[in-house]
Amino acid sequence: MSSQRLESVKNIIAIASGKGGVGKSTVAVNLALALQQLGNKVGILDADIYGPSIPTLFGLKDKQPSVDPEKKKLLPLEKFDLKIMSIGFMMRETDAVVWRGPMIHKMLQQFLEDVDWGDLDYLVIDLPPGTGDAQLSLSQLIPISGAVIVTTPQDMALADVVRGIAMFQKVGIPVAGVIENMSYFQCPHCSEKTDIFSHGGGKRKAEELKTEFLGELPLDPQTREGSDLGKPIVAENRESSQAIRFREIAEKVQSQLKVINQQKPNIQL
Amino acid sequence: MSSQRLESVKNIIAIASGKGGVGKSTVAVNLALALQQLGNKVGILDADIYGPSIPTLFGLKDKQPSVDPEKKKLLPLEKFDLKIMSIGFMMRETDAVVWRGPMIHKMLQQFLEDVDWGDLDYLVIDLPPGTGDAQLSLSQLIPISGAVIVTTPQDMALADVVRGIAMFQKVGIPVAGVIENMSYFQCPHCSEKTDIFSHGGGKRKAEELKTEFLGELPLDPQTREGSDLGKPIVAENRESSQAIRFREIAEKVQSQLKVINQQKPNIQL
């Protein structure tokens, strides 16, 4: 592992999920914005090579990063004061990403070495869902400070959380905690709540696995719409209850990383 | 490609999604049951090595397939008159599946060659989400009759549908059609409908890509609960509106496969 890479970045947070479709990318983007609203310099790297959604989430679908001719480095795009890089900027929507493992490894390496991130307090990495090649590659390439696992409350997603945490432990990456997304739905017509995907399983599973529970986020049509329109809820509606929830979660993530960093042995090679 | 394999199986349907968490496995299981209720002999193979959920969906989590000592073949489990095989039967919940591409290929090969499926009208294969190694391997290993793409209506999932269809076309697998899952939510308290994940995008995308639209399925807490409890809605509540919708979709899938089979060149090697 080369810890020389990304030395201007203080903390690297990997946002992971055992299962796809739990809202991982939406959580990654809004968590990055929440960390920034708490006063940090933040970047986000979309490493989801199977379905990069960061360009859509920021309304940057047709944009491309430019190159600094002097440093010979890629310059991340910027929006809402975040530095943003995605594999999605490099491919067309109709490209079938049928890359084999070694190619994924190579591409991620390039994203980490050849991008001019500048000084950052946090780099949030949106991992592909699951426990495959990309996660393995990343853990070999960069010193991830902590992993945040996003799940829905339903039993099937929770089984994958167990698998996800086991994978991070195997490769020696600390788990900062678990976020339960799609916790419940509040009907906009009658205000009654329905636990469409069940409720509370994320907290239960975090306690069972002795990991921090970072918070719950309801199924929220406004958050979903903001994601599809490239207008993340935390940036567009800072006083919404969802934005407040994201800042509470961001505060917990900050505290967890402090604990993790204090526990790290201070080895000079 | 060896078409000798699985010669006792008339049609192989791959259930795919560009993105995870769209309900692909729940759709696969209930579609298999619906095909059977239309009078077919049906098997289901869980090839989702990143998060096998078929054991949970059938309430078979602690079961293991037995071996026929004479034929030296694995015998699929049976429930609701379906033949069932899953990578999940072979691993513990806490195993992190960090297999590299070649190992995935080998395992799928074994599942196809060494399992005694018997005579089947349909073998439904639950693919891992996305466009990675497992899909490539499968397409090299077996003659898939047609792929069914499951999506939610939201923009981000639809972008992945385009990528998924492009992948199948690249490897020469016919696409039988698109199913829109989580189309809307009907509040159980006030009966009002909310398009939580938007609505109608699956149909629009299918028309745009000149592919059959097979039908839409609402977000249904009963269907989700049945999945978590190992009691698939189509088997447990045959007269529910969701079961009726699944049989309508199964009829469309049957017709599509007939069309595809008629178009196939009849080559004898």
Side-chain angles (χ1 to χ4, degrees):
Chain A
M1 188 192 295
S2 158
S3 48
Q4 287 308 103
R5 277 171 214 143
L6 295 172
E7 53 187 6
S8 64
V9 176
K10 284 187 199 147
N11 295 283
I12 300 176
I13 305 172
I15 312 292
S17 66
K19 194 175 154 54
V22 300
K24 174 181 56 58
S25 300
T26 292
V27 169
V29 163
N30 285 294
L31 182 63
L33 288 162
L35 281 165
Q36 190 218 46
Q37 289 175 3
L38 296 179
N40 300 293
K41 275 183 260 172
V42 183
I44 185 162
L45 168 62
D46 181 5
D48 189 349
I49 42 278
Y50 300 120
S53 42
I54 294 292
T56 305
L57 283 158
F58 283 108
L60 294 170
K61 269 178 87 168
D62 302 314
K63 297 284 186 290
Q64 281 198 315
S66 55
V67 178
D68 181 328
E70 228 161 276
K71 291 188 189 169
K72 288 185 178 146
K73 287 212 164 197
L74 275 173
L75 297 170
L77 295 181
E78 292 196 36
K79 197 156 176 182
F80 310 115
D81 280 321
L82 288 184
K83 303 212 167 171
I84 305 163
M85 184 53 73
S86 167
I87 167 67
F89 296 141
M90 270 73 171
M91 55 192 250
R92 288 162 308 173
E93 195 170 310
T94 50
D95 279 345
V97 188
V98 285
W99 292 334
R100 296 274 174 173
M103 291 183 69
I104 293 172
H105 188 105
K106 208 173 160 60
M107 192 217 57
L108 288 175
Q109 197 163 17
Q110 204 178 8
F111 265 21
L112 292 163
E113 289 178 356
D114 302 343
V115 173
D116 187 11
W117 290 103
D119 290 325
L120 293 181
D121 296 304
Y122 293 94
L123 177 61
V124 174
I125 301 187
D126 186 16
L127 288 187
T131 50
D133 281 328
Q135 290 87 347
L136 269 184
S137 287
L138 268 172
S139 64
Q140 287 159 2
L141 282 170
I142 41 158
I144 295 173
S145 319
V148 170
I149 318 261
V150 182
T151 184
T152 66
Q154 79 176 125
D155 286 355
M156 247 171 312
L158 294 172
D160 290 331
V161 170
V162 181
R163 250 177 244 125
I165 290 183
M167 189 201 68
F168 283 116
Q169 288 176 337
K170 210 172 237 177
V171 294
I173 294 173
V175 174
V178 173
I179 297 173
E180 180 176 293
N181 196 27
M182 309 191 189
S183 281
Y184 55 86
F185 175 70
Q186 187 162 22
C187 180
H189 304 284
C190 69
S191 295
E192 290 280 347
K193 291 181 182 177
T194 306
D195 295 340
I196 300 184
F197 293 110
S198 184
H199 188 182
K203 189 172 184 184
R204 223 169 39 241
K205 195 53 92 179
E207 285 167 356
E208 201 183 305
L209 298 167
K210 297 182 174 54
T211 299
E212 187 75 8
F213 182 64
L214 300 167
E216 61 179 39
L217 299 157
L219 258 176
D220 173 38
Q222 252 197 300
T223 303
R224 194 274 308 160
E225 209 181 325
S227 289
D228 276 345
L229 295 174
K231 297 179 173 180
I233 185 99
V234 170
E236 290 289 320
N237 193 349
R238 286 173 82 120
E239 297 318 314
S240 61
S241 56
Q242 197 81 330
I244 293 167
R245 281 191 205 98
F246 268 109
R247 284 193 296 273
E248 285 167 1
I249 290 174
E251 278 174 12
K252 281 203 181 181
V253 169
Q254 285 193 126
S255 329
Q256 278 299 104
L257 283 176
K258 264 183 213 149
V259 175
I260 290 170
N261 288 335
Q262 280 163 1
Q263 287 172 344
K264 230 176 8 194
N266 194 3
I267 300 171
Q268 300 279 345
L269 292 176
Chain B
M1 188 193 295
S2 157
S3 47
Q4 288 309 102
R5 278 172 213 142
L6 294 173
E7 54 187 7
S8 64
V9 176
K10 284 187 197 147
N11 295 283
I12 299 176
I13 305 171
I15 311 294
S17 66
K19 194 174 152 55
V22 300
K24 177 181 53 57
S25 300
T26 292
V27 169
V29 162
N30 285 293
L31 182 63
L33 287 163
L35 282 166
Q36 190 218 46
Q37 289 175 3
L38 297 178
N40 299 293
K41 273 183 262 175
V42 184
I44 186 162
L45 169 62
D46 181 4
D48 189 349
I49 40 313
Y50 299 120
S53 41
I54 294 291
T56 304
L57 284 158
F58 283 109
L60 295 170
K61 270 178 85 170
D62 301 313
K63 297 284 185 292
Q64 281 199 314
S66 54
V67 178
D68 181 329
E70 229 162 274
K71 289 187 187 168
K72 286 181 179 152
K73 286 208 161 197
L74 274 174
L75 298 170
L77 295 181
E78 293 196 35
K79 197 157 177 184
F80 310 116
D81 280 323
L82 288 183
K83 300 210 168 172
I84 305 163
M85 184 54 74
S86 167
I87 167 67
F89 296 142
M90 269 74 168
M91 56 193 249
R92 287 162 308 172
E93 195 171 309
T94 49
D95 279 345
V97 188
V98 284
W99 294 333
R100 296 273 172 173
M103 291 182 68
I104 293 172
H105 189 104
K106 207 170 161 61
M107 192 217 55
L108 288 175
Q109 197 164 18
Q110 204 179 8
F111 265 22
L112 293 163
E113 288 177 355
D114 301 342
V115 173
D116 187 11
W117 290 104
D119 290 325
L120 293 180
D121 295 304
Y122 294 94
L123 177 62
V124 173
I125 300 187
D126 186 16
L127 287 186
T131 51
D133 280 330
Q135 291 87 346
L136 269 185
S137 287
L138 268 172
S139 64
Q140 287 160 0
L141 283 170
I142 40 157
I144 294 172
S145 319
V148 169
I149 318 262
V150 181
T151 184
T152 66
Q154 79 177 123
D155 285 355
M156 246 172 311
L158 294 172
D160 290 330
V161 170
V162 180
R163 251 178 244 125
I165 290 182
M167 188 201 67
F168 284 116
Q169 288 174 338
K170 211 171 236 178
V171 294
I173 294 174
V175 174
V178 173
I179 297 173
E180 181 176 293
N181 196 27
M182 309 190 189
S183 282
Y184 55 86
F185 175 70
Q186 186 163 20
C187 179
H189 304 282
C190 69
S191 295
E192 290 281 347
K193 291 180 182 178
T194 306
D195 295 341
I196 300 184
F197 294 110
S198 182
H199 188 182
K203 188 173 186 181
R204 223 170 40 242
K205 197 50 93 176
E207 284 167 358
E208 201 182 304
L209 298 167
K210 298 185 175 51
T211 299
E212 187 75 8
F213 181 63
L214 299 168
E216 61 179 39
L217 298 157
L219 256 178
D220 174 36
Q222 253 197 300
T223 302
R224 194 275 307 160
E225 210 182 325
S227 289
D228 276 346
L229 296 174
K231 297 178 174 180
I233 185 97
V234 171
E236 291 289 320
N237 194 349
R238 289 173 80 122
E239 297 319 314
S240 62
S241 56
Q242 197 81 329
I244 293 166
R245 281 189 205 100
F246 268 109
R247 283 194 296 273
E248 285 167 2
I249 290 175
E251 278 174 11
K252 280 204 182 178
V253 169
Q254 284 193 123
S255 329
Q256 279 298 104
L257 284 176
K258 265 183 211 147
V259 175
I260 290 170
N261 288 335
Q262 280 163 4
Q263 287 173 344
K264 231 178 2 198
N266 194 0
I267 300 170
Q268 300 279 344
L269 292 178

